[in-house]
Amino acid sequence: MPFTSVKVIAFDADDTLWANEIFFREAEDKFCSLLEDYLPQHTVNRELLKTEINNMGLYGYGIKAFMLSMIETAIRITEHKVPDTVIEEIIKIGKEMLQKPVNLLPGVEETLKTLNGSYRLVMATKGDLLDQERKLKKSGLEKHFHHIEIMTEKKEPDYRKLISHLDVEPSEFLMVGNSIKSDILPVLKVGGFAIHIPYHVTWEHEKLDLEIEDEKFEQLENLSAILSWLK
Amino acid sequence: MPFTSVKVIAFDADDTLWANEIFFREAEDKFCSLLEDYLPQHTVNRELLKTEINNMGLYGYGIKAFMLSMIETAIRITEHKVPDTVIEEIIKIGKEMLQKPVNLLPGVEETLKTLNGSYRLVMATKGDLLDQERKLKKSGLEKHFHHIEIMTEKKEPDYRKLISHLDVEPSEFLMVGNSIKSDILPVLKVGGFAIHIPYHVTWEHEKLDLEIEDEKFEQLENLSAILSWLK
């Protein structure tokens, strides 16, 4: 089978190794409740997403960006009538997110430990530098990784750079992640392998429905399934 | 002279390669003016610094962290009476900071170009990932660097990690920067060389007045002076 040339396995972190999106969902719910006197919750949610996408280029990904977009949305949709206590509450929601525990997904620790002998393991994640380092530390997974790459984007040029930095050929590189858009498609495009492990919650902005037909692609149900797949 | 063993030169970026602190100073001034109806400007400034230091562990460095701390300070010192328009103004100040031009300090381009043949050059900077990458791109300096390291902290363990990652001995590593606290002391502690190039504006939190007596240390007036120093 074609995956035999793989030497390096890169893992996405959020919602591949540990739960993450769920905390954003919880925060969004709290935010929408805070503003329900002004607008219906689903409208608030849509407005927030709009703000986030508008700010993406300037702020990038992560909790601080999310906090700033919540504040901006609150001011806009209340037409400058949002009480300071609500903004204070938004800051509190964000600070709580920054202190959440790191809950590993099932089988993660064991899978990394087993693969570590036979492959060079890398963590390749998007997001806020400090926050991703915090989660990595809390996760206790650092010891399994040869290299940690925290990226501002996960597009084709970013993967090309990473693969070249790791000093391997694209055909020796396998990416494992939960986002078709960020972890799978760009990697297949640059000639690497990709395994998709869907997560039950996906951020609207990362959603993408399509069938992938590629011998360098596989979809598995959970991380542990990689062990038997690569055997 | 002792600097002859140096193989890698790492440069701090903000206020070593390009102006940065000056934009924070400008933003602080605007922030203090916004709130002068509530408190004298120097008190606002002191309160802001207090908030920033309190939030450092959670937010880290960078403009987004600074924006969130300004908002929090505005709410606190007005006792929840800050108008939404002021918060909106704070967000605007921050977004403007994120789009500032990158002004190289005198002699930077030429110095890097000249050193590039004889040394491996590295950029080692603290701060927000996306924002530092933005500045690097705008600076046009990327081509001179063998490696870019964006760090959450610049303490002894961080430098040990960087030096080991670069595959050199501490005695082959020279750090050049404007902050005694972040660029000089920890590097000398781990056995590396350090050159201090003072910048006329230093953030309160990075200030440190002391005399350094170390044969691995030198203070120079500007970046170009490195060329004759290392000759």
Side-chain angles (χ1 to χ4, degrees):
Chain A
M1 65 109 184
F3 283 65
T4 43
S5 59
V6 170
K7 287 184 183 168
V8 171
I9 308 180
F11 293 87
D12 170 55
D14 290 339
D15 300 319
T16 298
L17 302 178
W18 52 66
N20 177 66
E21 194 53 33
I22 194 96
F23 296 132
F24 279 87
R25 271 314 107 80
E26 280 174 17
E28 274 170 27
D29 287 348
K30 283 187 205 161
F31 175 71
C32 293
S33 308
L34 277 176
L35 293 167
E36 64 186 348
D37 290 348
Y38 302 89
L39 273 178
Q41 300 211 6
H42 69 272
T43 316
V44 178
N45 216 331
R46 211 175 48 219
E47 288 296 319
L48 174 58
L49 182 66
K50 212 195 288 174
T51 317
E52 284 181 270
I53 290 172
N54 278 341
N55 287 335
M56 187 65 72
L58 269 185
Y59 293 164
Y61 299 86
I63 294 173
K64 281 177 288 184
F66 180 62
M67 292 167 76
L68 289 166
S69 287
M70 283 194 285
I71 295 171
E72 185 179 326
T73 307
I75 295 175
R76 186 178 71 238
I77 64 179
T78 61
E79 293 168 348
H80 298 88
K81 284 185 204 73
V82 62
D84 281 8
T85 48
V86 168
I87 301 205
E88 201 171 45
E89 202 54 44
I90 293 171
I91 293 177
K92 203 177 136 213
I93 292 172
K95 286 190 175 180
E96 279 168 7
M97 290 176 81
L98 287 167
Q99 296 171 80
K100 287 282 181 197
V102 172
N103 301 322
L104 295 187
L105 297 179
V108 165
E109 177 89 56
E110 195 198 304
T111 306
L112 294 179
K113 208 173 146 188
T114 311
L115 292 171
N116 199 0
S118 324
Y119 300 90
R120 201 154 29 119
L121 306 187
V122 168
M123 188 180 110
T125 172
K126 222 161 42 177
D128 188 83
L129 192 59
L130 183 68
D131 194 39
Q132 294 295 7
E133 287 191 355
R134 169 189 73 82
K135 287 187 277 186
L136 179 61
K137 252 179 228 157
K138 279 196 186 171
S139 75
L141 296 176
E142 201 166 358
K143 59 180 177 291
H144 302 300
F145 293 110
H146 165 84
H147 178 75
I148 309 293
E149 187 81 16
I150 300 172
M151 310 155 83
T152 48
E153 275 298 348
K154 280 179 155 179
K155 294 185 173 158
E156 289 169 50
D158 308 296
Y159 281 109
R160 262 192 220 101
K161 223 163 147 181
L162 173 63
I163 291 169
S164 128
H165 177 78
L166 293 168
D167 225 3
V168 288
E169 295 300 315
S171 60
E172 297 170 326
F173 180 83
L174 161 63
M175 179 74 199
V176 179
N178 71 303
S179 167
I180 292 282
K181 192 170 152 188
S182 302
D183 303 317
I184 308 301
L185 292 181
V187 174
L188 294 174
K189 275 272 180 64
V190 306
F193 290 90
I195 291 182
H196 182 225
I197 299 177
Y199 187 66
H200 60 97
V201 198
T202 306
W203 185 32
E204 211 50 56
H205 187 60
E206 292 284 340
K207 273 187 188 163
L208 208 62
D209 275 324
L210 78 164
E211 285 288 310
I212 300 174
E213 298 264 356
D214 192 316
E215 57 162 15
K216 288 180 153 184
F217 172 75
E218 187 55 45
Q219 181 164 308
L220 299 174
E221 211 170 309
N222 54 53
L223 208 73
S224 317
I226 294 180
L227 293 179
S228 35
W229 174 254
L230 289 177
K231 240 178 207 159
Chain B
M1 66 106 184
F3 283 64
T4 43
S5 59
V6 170
K7 288 183 183 168
V8 171
I9 308 180
F11 293 86
D12 170 55
D14 291 339
D15 301 319
T16 297
L17 302 178
W18 52 65
N20 176 66
E21 194 53 34
I22 195 97
F23 296 132
F24 279 87
R25 270 315 108 79
E26 279 175 18
E28 274 170 26
D29 287 348
K30 284 187 203 160
F31 175 71
C32 293
S33 309
L34 277 176
L35 292 168
E36 64 187 348
D37 290 347
Y38 300 90
L39 274 179
Q41 300 210 7
H42 68 271
T43 316
V44 178
N45 217 329
R46 211 176 48 218
E47 288 296 319
L48 173 58
L49 181 66
K50 213 196 287 176
T51 317
E52 285 181 88
I53 290 173
N54 278 340
N55 287 335
M56 187 64 71
L58 270 184
Y59 293 164
Y61 299 87
I63 294 173
K64 281 176 288 183
F66 180 62
M67 292 166 76
L68 288 167
S69 287
M70 282 195 284
I71 295 171
E72 185 180 325
T73 306
I75 295 175
R76 187 178 69 237
I77 64 179
T78 61
E79 292 168 348
H80 299 88
K81 286 185 202 74
V82 61
D84 282 9
T85 47
V86 168
I87 299 197
E88 200 170 46
E89 204 51 46
I90 293 171
I91 293 177
K92 202 176 137 214
I93 293 172
K95 286 189 174 178
E96 279 168 9
M97 289 176 81
L98 288 166
Q99 295 171 83
K100 288 280 180 198
V102 172
N103 302 321
L104 295 188
L105 297 180
V108 164
E109 179 90 55
E110 195 198 303
T111 307
L112 293 179
K113 208 173 147 189
T114 311
L115 291 172
N116 200 359
S118 323
Y119 300 90
R120 198 150 38 114
L121 305 187
V122 168
M123 187 179 112
T125 172
K126 222 161 41 176
D128 187 85
L129 193 60
L130 183 69
D131 194 39
Q132 294 295 7
E133 288 190 356
R134 169 188 73 80
K135 288 186 277 187
L136 180 61
K137 251 178 228 158
K138 278 196 187 173
S139 74
L141 297 176
E142 201 166 357
K143 59 181 177 293
H144 302 299
F145 293 110
H146 165 84
H147 177 75
I148 309 293
E149 187 80 16
I150 300 172
M151 308 154 85
T152 47
E153 275 298 346
K154 279 179 157 180
K155 295 187 174 158
E156 289 168 49
D158 309 296
Y159 281 108
R160 262 192 221 103
K161 224 162 145 180
L162 173 62
I163 291 170
S164 128
H165 178 77
L166 294 167
D167 225 3
V168 288
E169 294 299 315
S171 60
E172 297 170 327
F173 180 85
L174 161 62
M175 179 75 201
V176 178
N178 71 305
S179 166
I180 292 282
K181 193 171 151 188
S182 301
D183 302 318
I184 308 302
L185 292 182
V187 175
L188 294 174
K189 275 273 181 65
V190 306
F193 290 90
I195 291 181
H196 183 224
I197 299 176
Y199 187 68
H200 60 96
V201 198
T202 306
W203 185 31
E204 212 50 57
H205 186 61
E206 294 283 342
K207 273 186 187 162
L208 207 61
D209 274 325
L210 77 165
E211 285 288 311
I212 300 175
E213 297 265 357
D214 192 317
E215 58 161 15
K216 290 182 151 182
F217 171 77
E218 187 57 44
Q219 181 164 307
L220 299 174
E221 211 168 311
N222 54 53
L223 209 71
S224 318
I226 293 180
L227 293 178
S228 34
W229 173 254
L230 288 177
K231 239 177 207 160

